[in-house]
Amino acid sequence: MATYNKRGYKTPKEKEEKVEDNNFIEEVTVDEKDSTTAEVFSKLDEGSSKIEKWVENNQKVIFGLVAGIAIVTVGYLLYNKYIVEPKQDKASNEMFQAQQYFKKAVDETVAKKADSLYKLALNGGEGKPGFVRLASDYSGTEAGNLSNYFAGIAMLNTGKYAEAISYLEKFDSKDMMLKVLAIGAIGDAYSEQNKMKEALEFYLKASETNKNDLTTPRFLLKAGQTAMLLGKKADALKYFTSIKEQYEASQEASTVDGLIGMVQ
């Protein structure tokens, strides 16, 4: 059977596949998160470049600061080693005699002799300085600081109350027991001057600092007695009750019932 082609008709050719020789191009879809991350790193790179540039432009200033800190640190260490420590050692040796006078004064049962010993502790004797001079000459050392405490207590015991307060306020210590006793002694000095409001303030401060079974009930008792003198019976009752309930094993607790009865 014969076949005929229509005029103008061409048989379609097969589609040719276009292949890039040795150059295969893959279409990559960029995720939005990847784009944001890249932007962040780009900004970080820019920031780092700015910092590096600033450091480069300010090297002299930076090196000057570093050198200054190093000089101060070395200076501090040298100052402590060659000035403070030898001064501290000398002060400790110098104050030995004054401490002996003070100890004898505390142990002395005769008031007149004790008073004389306290004065020697303050002013010195046997060629050695007393606490007044030690506190001044060795200010900034532990020995000088401790001399403020001893001078304050000695003055309190010799009736120099304003001076006692002045020395005791200069005293500061990591020894919490001594710190409490110094605060309480300031209260005693105010009480001796009949400044009861100030005395109460320091007795309460002493009772609240480093609470323990020895000093806390002692100063709570003094706070209660002072509050009574000021007519503050409710406050006095509170302080006395604290002794009875919280420090029942203390010496003060054994005598506080009578005081509680007086203010109720």
Side-chain angles (χ1 to χ4, degrees), residues 155 159-169 189-190 193 195:
M155 287 181 173
K160 297 179 178 180
Y161 306 121
E163 292 92 331
I165 292 170
S166 178
Y167 276 97
L168 289 168
E169 285 183 335
Y190 276 121
Q193 296 178 89
K195 295 180 179 180

Side-chain angles (χ1 to χ4, degrees), residues 98 101-102 105 111-125 128-132 150-151 153-155 157-160:
Y101 288 135
F102 186 91
K112 189 174 180 180
K113 288 183 179 179
D115 188 76
S116 178
L117 287 165
Y118 278 125
K119 287 178 179 176
L120 284 170
L122 284 167
N123 303 314
K128 293 294 182 180
F131 291 124
V132 171
F150 285 120
I153 300 298
M155 287 181 173
N157 282 282
T158 53
K160 297 179 178 180

Side-chain angles (χ1 to χ4, degrees), residues 87-101:
K87 192 176 182 181
Q88 169 66 27
D89 292 340
K90 184 179 179 182
S92 298
N93 292 329
E94 288 281 274
M95 73 185 299
F96 177 77
Q97 187 60 55
Q99 285 178 312
Q100 293 302 304
Y101 288 135

Side-chain angles (χ1 to χ4, degrees), residues 25 38 52 60 85-86 102 132 166 173 184 208 225 239:
I25 301 173
E52 289 171 2
K60 289 184 179 180
E85 290 179 10
F102 186 91
V132 171
S166 178
S173 178
E208 292 166 359
Q225 292 169 330
Y239 307 143

Side-chain angles (χ1 to χ4, degrees), residues 18-165:
K18 186 177 180 181
V19 179
E20 299 275 351
D21 285 340
N22 301 321
N23 288 305
F24 180 73
I25 301 173
E26 181 181 2
E27 185 179 351
V28 178
T29 302
V30 178
D31 191 278
E32 188 178 346
K33 291 181 182 178
D34 294 333
S35 177
T36 304
T37 303
E39 186 179 348
V40 170
F41 279 110
S42 178
K43 288 182 179 178
L44 287 173
D45 288 340
E46 288 176 10
S48 298
S49 298
K50 288 179 181 179
I51 292 170
E52 289 171 2
K53 189 173 182 180
W54 184 87
V55 170
E56 185 179 345
N57 293 336
N58 294 274
Q59 282 186 2
K60 289 184 179 180
V61 175
I62 295 169
F63 290 149
L65 288 172
V66 172
I69 293 169
I71 289 169
V72 170
T73 303
V74 172
Y76 175 77
L77 294 172
L78 291 175
Y79 176 78
N80 274 292
K81 183 172 180 62
Y82 294 105
I83 296 177
V84 174
E85 290 179 10
K87 192 176 182 181
Q88 169 66 27
D89 292 340
K90 184 179 179 182
S92 298
N93 292 329
E94 288 281 274
M95 73 185 299
F96 177 77
Q97 187 60 55
Q99 285 178 312
Q100 293 302 304
Y101 288 135
F102 186 91
K103 185 177 183 302
K104 288 179 182 178
V106 172
D107 295 338
E108 184 57 65
T109 56
V110 180
K112 189 174 180 180
K113 288 183 179 179
D115 188 76
S116 178
L117 287 165
Y118 278 125
K119 287 178 179 176
L120 284 170
L122 284 167
N123 303 314
E126 300 182 35
K128 293 294 182 180
F131 291 124
V132 171
R133 183 177 156 192
L134 287 164
S136 175
D137 289 356
Y138 297 99
S139 176
T141 68
E142 284 299 318
N145 181 49
L146 195 58
S147 292
N148 283 317
Y149 173 79
F150 285 120
I153 300 298
M155 287 181 173
L156 176 63
N157 282 282
T158 53
K160 297 179 178 180
Y161 306 121
E163 292 92 331
I165 292 170

